[in-house]
Amino acid sequence: MQQTLPVTRVSPRVRSLRRFEWPALGLPVTLMLLLVFWQAGVTLSGYPAFILPSPTLVAGRFWQALSSGLLWQHTFATLSAALGGFTLALIIALILGYTLAHIRWLEQALAPVLAASQAIPVVAVAPLIILWFGAGLTSKVLVAALITFLPILINTVVAIRSIPRELIEMAYISGANRWQLLRYVEAPLALPVLFGGVRTGLALATTGAVVGEFVAGRVGLGALINIARGLFDTPLIFVALATLALITLTLYVLAGLLERLLVRWEAS
């Protein structure tokens, strides 16, 4: 007689722990491996510190820049430009993307223009923006918005158009107006796809801010890299790069947490 093995039921708490165990462990393990390979490269290559500094030297320079307030000043400037550009791009992309998703002929008219605009490198456009708007915060925000705009726009259009037509027609039959359709049907169903563009946009916003600071900026992490390069302070360059990576990672994680909260709230 054939015997059947007992079925082991896994509680939701255990499944949740398994789901987040590897991502939680992956980042520290990756950082440890990166530090090990970095130190090995320094030891084996024999390069001087002004070419390839060791992790301990960079850590010491990081603490020095942090305690003196230098790193805070430049980080705040880059973060302000990045978040300002992202907010501007998000507002325009959401409004335009929602409009294009519902008006086909307008999308067909604007699609070639948008595609052509993305063929021009932001580095080439940044000097013109700084020439027109000055070397202050406004130009950095515009450069960050320019590089952030298209991913959010594309995801907005895709998110709205991926909603089943049957649900929209059912909402209209039930007497829903345009605002109620957006609030109770389109927005909840579009959030998962839309947040893909939001996460990408946040990652690109810091890049846009740094590009503007590279071209013309006295403050910001891009400007700090230029200053450190002129002083042959390679450890400070590594400090600025590590800070940029930390900012981007933090924004990406915060966007993921916000997505989880909003999707759960809309589903409840």
Side-chain angles (χ1 to χ4, degrees), residues 39-49 51-52:
Q39 183 61 52
V42 172
T43 303
L44 295 176
S45 65
Y47 286 137
I51 296 180
L52 182 61

Side-chain angles (χ1 to χ4, degrees), residues 118 146-156 196-198 200-201 204:
Q118 294 302 307
L146 185 63
I147 199 174
T148 307
F149 171 74
L150 191 63
I152 303 178
L153 176 69
I154 293 176
N155 278 64
T156 302
V198 169
T200 304
L204 292 175

Side-chain angles (χ1 to χ4, degrees), residues 43-197:
T43 303
L44 295 176
S45 65
Y47 286 137
F50 72 90
I51 296 180
L52 182 61
S54 64
T56 55
L57 184 60
V58 172
R61 191 68 178 93
F62 180 87
W63 177 251
Q64 181 182 357
L66 189 66
S67 59
S68 65
L70 177 69
L71 189 59
W72 289 111
Q73 176 188 4
H74 291 284
T75 301
F76 179 77
T78 299
L79 194 58
S80 300
L83 292 180
F86 170 78
T87 303
L88 178 62
L90 179 65
I91 294 173
I92 299 176
L94 287 179
I95 297 174
L96 182 59
Y98 186 80
T99 304
L100 295 180
H102 288 88
I103 305 177
R104 296 272 182 172
W105 65 265
L106 184 60
E107 183 203 6
Q108 294 174 358
L110 292 181
V113 179
L114 294 173
S117 66
Q118 294 302 307
I120 304 175
V122 179
V123 179
V125 181
L128 290 176
I129 295 178
I130 292 173
L131 180 65
W132 295 335
F133 297 94
L137 179 62
T138 302
S139 59
K140 313 302 187 301
V141 169
L142 291 177
V143 174
L146 185 63
I147 199 174
T148 307
F149 171 74
L150 191 63
I152 303 178
L153 176 69
I154 293 176
N155 278 64
T156 302
V157 175
V158 172
I160 297 299
R161 289 191 175 168
S162 62
I163 299 173
R165 186 65 185 175
E166 296 80 6
L167 295 178
I168 297 178
E169 293 176 353
M170 187 178 300
Y172 278 131
I173 293 174
S174 302
N177 55 32
R178 171 62 68 180
W179 167 250
Q180 290 172 334
L181 177 67
L182 173 63
R183 170 63 183 86
Y184 297 104
V185 178
E186 292 177 327
L189 295 178
L191 277 178
V193 179
L194 179 61
F195 263 96

Side-chain angles (χ1 to χ4, degrees), residues 28-44 52-56:
V29 171
T30 302
L31 290 177
M32 289 298 298
L33 290 176
L34 178 62
L35 291 175
V36 169
F37 283 113
W38 182 2
Q39 183 61 52
V42 172
T43 303
L44 295 176
L52 182 61
S54 64
T56 55

